[in-house]
Amino acid sequence: MPLNPSRSRAKDRSSILGRPEFLSLNVPPRNNKSWRRAGPSKSQQNQPSENPAEPPDEDCMLLNPSFKGIAINSLLAIDICLSKRLGVCVHTSSSWGSVRSAVTLLALTGHGITWICGTLVCLTQSNTPAGQELLVNLLIALILDVLTVAGVQKLIRRKGPWDMSPGFLDCVALDTYSFPAAHASRAAMVSKFLLSHLVLAVPLRVLLVLWAVLVGLSRVLLGQHHLTDMACGFALGFLHFALMETVWLSSGACQTLISIGTFSWGSVH
């Protein structure tokens, strides 16, 4: 018995409308006023929201970074990579671990405690006003260098390329962070100071400059500083020297400070 054509067409239409892409056509039109009064149904309330809250700013990825940001991040990545590669004396098992003691001793020659104690000893042994003037100004420059570097390090709080805790002498000298490199700053300031105020032969002047460079590099080899920390330390040391030349204390002022420090008021003329 042949099927009714109208029934077959209705059956085909219902099967087509049952597909997922045509489900929205089966939804009856809403009465806007009644739907607004009724509000969402319980099933709609239980369903999760299709537009969740936006993530915080720190979880968002910057899709269009600036050229300046890309350049800075690239330079920092290169700095960290090179500094880690140059940390060949970090441990005794490193590639240059056999000379770690010698490199540590070289770095100790640029330590703040070493130079401040040595300057105080030389000051007690000096008997000439010119020598005392030089040593007092050097002592002030060393104290200025220690305090300035410690303040910048506390402000920046940059860690070194290797996760290493500072030693006892570093904690005493307030050298607990990586940026800027305190040894490099001190070596640059001291070498420039001595080259400007002492008459030295050419070989000694070359050795003094070489010593300053090696002291700054030694801390990179030991894994304490990045290359940029060392470079900024050298720049800060030259800045300290220029500042000390501006506020240079005269011989009379130095004699007054020495008399106050030694409580010898009667010797001041």
Side-chain angles (χ1 to χ4, degrees), residues 8 13 26 37-38 55 74 112 131 140 145 173 177 221 228-229 241 252:
S8 62
R13 182 175 178 275
N26 296 329
R37 288 195 299 267
S74 300
I140 295 174
D145 178 81
Y177 290 98
L221 298 179
T228 52
D229 303 334
F241 169 77

Side-chain angles (χ1 to χ4, degrees), residues 90-268:
V90 177
H91 307 288
T92 53
S93 59
S94 302
S95 56
W96 286 18
S98 58
V99 296
R100 188 176 189 275
S101 300
V103 176
T104 303
L105 183 61
L106 176 62
L108 186 62
T109 61
H111 203 281
I113 301 299
T114 305
W115 274 97
I116 290 177
C117 293
T119 304
L120 287 173
V121 171
C122 294
L123 188 59
T124 58
Q125 301 298 321
S126 179
N127 297 321
T128 61
Q132 292 174 349
E133 177 186 355
L134 182 68
L135 291 171
V136 167
N137 283 278
L138 177 59
L139 180 62
I140 295 174
L142 290 170
I143 295 175
L144 174 66
D145 178 81
V146 170
L147 295 179
T148 304
V149 171
V152 177
Q153 286 186 355
K154 290 291 184 181
L155 182 64
I156 303 299
R157 294 178 178 271
R158 187 187 190 188
K159 297 292 185 179
W162 298 85
D163 189 11
M164 302 177 63
S165 57
F168 173 74
L169 291 179
D170 292 336
C171 293
V172 173
L174 305 178
D175 186 11
T176 55
Y177 290 98
S178 177
F179 181 88
H183 288 65
S185 174
R186 195 169 303 111
M189 188 270 296
V190 169
S191 61
K192 184 64 175 177
F193 188 96
L194 297 180
L195 289 173
S196 300
H197 297 284
L198 294 181
V199 180
L200 301 174
V202 174
L204 291 178
R205 298 173 74 88
V206 174
L207 287 177
L208 190 58
V209 174
L210 183 62
W211 165 81
V213 175
L214 291 178
V215 165
L217 186 60
S218 65
R219 298 284 287 180
V220 178
L221 298 179
L222 292 172
Q224 297 288 344
H225 295 289
H226 300 85
L227 287 174
T228 52
D229 303 334
M230 180 185 66
C232 293
F234 284 139
L236 188 60
F238 290 125
L239 180 62
H240 288 156
F241 169 77
L243 179 61
M244 198 62 218
E245 291 293 308
T246 305
V247 297
W248 185 270
L249 298 182
S250 62
S251 179
C254 293
Q255 294 299 319
T256 303
L257 290 178
I258 293 173
S259 64
I260 293 174
T262 57
F263 300 100
S264 55
W265 297 91
S267 62
V268 179

Side-chain angles (χ1 to χ4, degrees), residues 12-27:
D12 294 340
R13 182 175 178 275
S14 62
S15 62
I16 293 174
L17 294 177
R19 295 180 183 178
E21 57 267 27
F22 296 106
L23 287 178
S24 60
L25 299 178
N26 296 329
V27 179

